[in-house]
Amino acid sequence: SPSNNHNNNNHNNHVHTPSSNSNSNHNRRFVSGKDLQNLRTDIQNLRENLQWAIALQDELRIQDLTKAIQDGENLDPERVYAKSIERMRVLMLSLEENGKKKKKDSGSSSSREEQLAKWKKKAEEARSCIPKFNLEGLWVGNYGEQGYEMINVTYAGDTLIATKVTGDHCVPRNKVTFQANLAPSASPPGTTSSTTTNKNNNNGAANKQNNNNNNNNQNTHNTSIRGRRR
């Protein structure tokens, strides 16, 4: 019955902030590596328990679980970055809308600008702890028969851009060999949904075409990741 399942979940997954107990550095802002994987698993379990609490209308349990989820998400740099970017987007739209009005509310605008600065700082702190946003620099990769080649990784906003330093007949020097949109996803990291699965199935043909294009480009993305940083 739902009551029995709910009680079992309570026993197996206590309400707590799902952080790593092995981390002795209390000043650490975010978790990473295996700790981050465990954190996301704990948060997913808490979300499932929250659904049971909502179904049973257990208000105290709902409050405890909601707080535990929020505390856990504050330790996930990708979640904090996505949240900060979204808050910044809403605030900038609000400031633009206020600027279009004939009679501006200076007090309200000042408050929004302060909030915007706060969320921008949070976004920068979180971004600095996300590995995929910290690959800037020169990388050397093995291109098979063509030997070792060098690429330069830079960023334009949330887009990673890899430019060839060593040119070849496929991609000349100083030309973009690949780029990747790393913008935060709307879904929390480590979660899946039927909507996402269906979307991936519907885009199967497009993904296959993209894979073919990447192969024609000598699989430069994979070789750069396996390569050595200089």
Side-chain angles (χ1 to χ4, degrees):
S1 65
S3 296
N4 289 335
N5 287 336
H6 180 59
N7 289 333
N8 289 336
N9 282 336
N10 285 342
H11 176 72
N12 295 326
N13 193 359
H14 300 289
V15 178
H16 68 293
T17 300
S19 58
S20 171
N21 293 327
S22 62
N23 183 12
S24 59
N25 184 3
H26 299 290
N27 295 325
R28 190 174 178 180
R29 176 67 178 84
F30 300 105
V31 296
S32 60
K34 187 65 176 178
D35 288 342
L36 181 57
Q37 295 178 22
N38 292 336
L39 172 72
R40 290 174 176 173
T41 299
D42 288 344
I43 291 176
Q44 183 61 28
N45 291 334
L46 291 175
R47 287 198 182 98
E48 293 174 0
N49 281 351
L50 179 60
Q51 294 305 312
W52 281 105
I54 292 173
L56 296 171
Q57 298 182 351
D58 187 340
E59 294 299 331
L60 181 59
R61 180 73 173 162
I62 291 172
Q63 293 177 12
D64 289 342
L65 284 166
T66 300
K67 184 179 185 305
I69 291 171
Q70 291 174 347
D71 290 343
E73 288 181 340
N74 287 335
L75 299 174
D76 186 333
E78 290 192 35
R79 187 59 178 158
V80 172
Y81 183 66
K83 180 180 179 180
S84 300
I85 292 297
E86 176 60 20
R87 294 292 179 88
M88 289 170 61
R89 185 188 68 82
V90 172
L91 285 168
M92 286 188 288
L93 287 175
S94 179
L95 286 169
E96 290 177 3
E97 186 65 24
N98 188 58
K100 293 177 182 178
K101 296 179 180 179
K102 293 183 178 179
K103 184 177 180 180
K104 299 181 180 180
D105 186 347
S106 58
S108 178
S109 295
S110 177
S111 175
R112 291 191 184 97
E113 288 172 355
E114 291 177 358
Q115 293 180 45
L116 184 60
K118 181 191 74 172
W119 286 109
K120 181 179 180 181
K121 182 179 180 180
K122 286 189 175 184
E124 291 173 348
E125 291 176 349
R127 182 184 171 111
S128 68
C129 296
I130 302 175
K132 65 184 178 182
F133 286 122
N134 291 278
L135 300 174
E136 190 166 8
L138 296 175
W139 292 79
V140 175
N142 189 342
Y143 282 69
E145 295 180 356
Q146 297 184 171
Y148 290 95
E149 297 188 6
M150 184 178 291
I151 63 171
N152 184 33
V153 173
T154 57
Y155 293 90
D158 287 336
T159 300
L160 181 149
I161 302 173
T163 305
K164 290 293 288 290
V165 176
T166 306
D168 55 36
H169 65 280
C170 291
V171 182
R173 181 183 179 185
N174 294 329
K175 296 296 182 180
V176 174
T177 181
F178 70 86
Q179 58 184 24
N181 181 6
L182 305 179
S185 170
S187 301
T191 62
T192 57
S193 65
S194 58
T195 302
T196 302
T197 302
N198 292 335
K199 182 178 180 181
N200 289 336
N201 291 335
N202 292 335
N203 290 335
N207 290 336
K208 183 177 181 180
Q209 181 62 40
N210 289 335
N211 289 334
N212 290 336
N213 291 338
N214 289 336
N215 289 334
N216 292 335
N217 210 16
Q218 294 187 321
N219 200 14
T220 53
H221 176 68
N222 290 334
T223 54
S224 66
I225 296 302
R226 291 196 300 269
R228 297 170 296 176
R229 191 171 186 175
R230 294 296 179 105

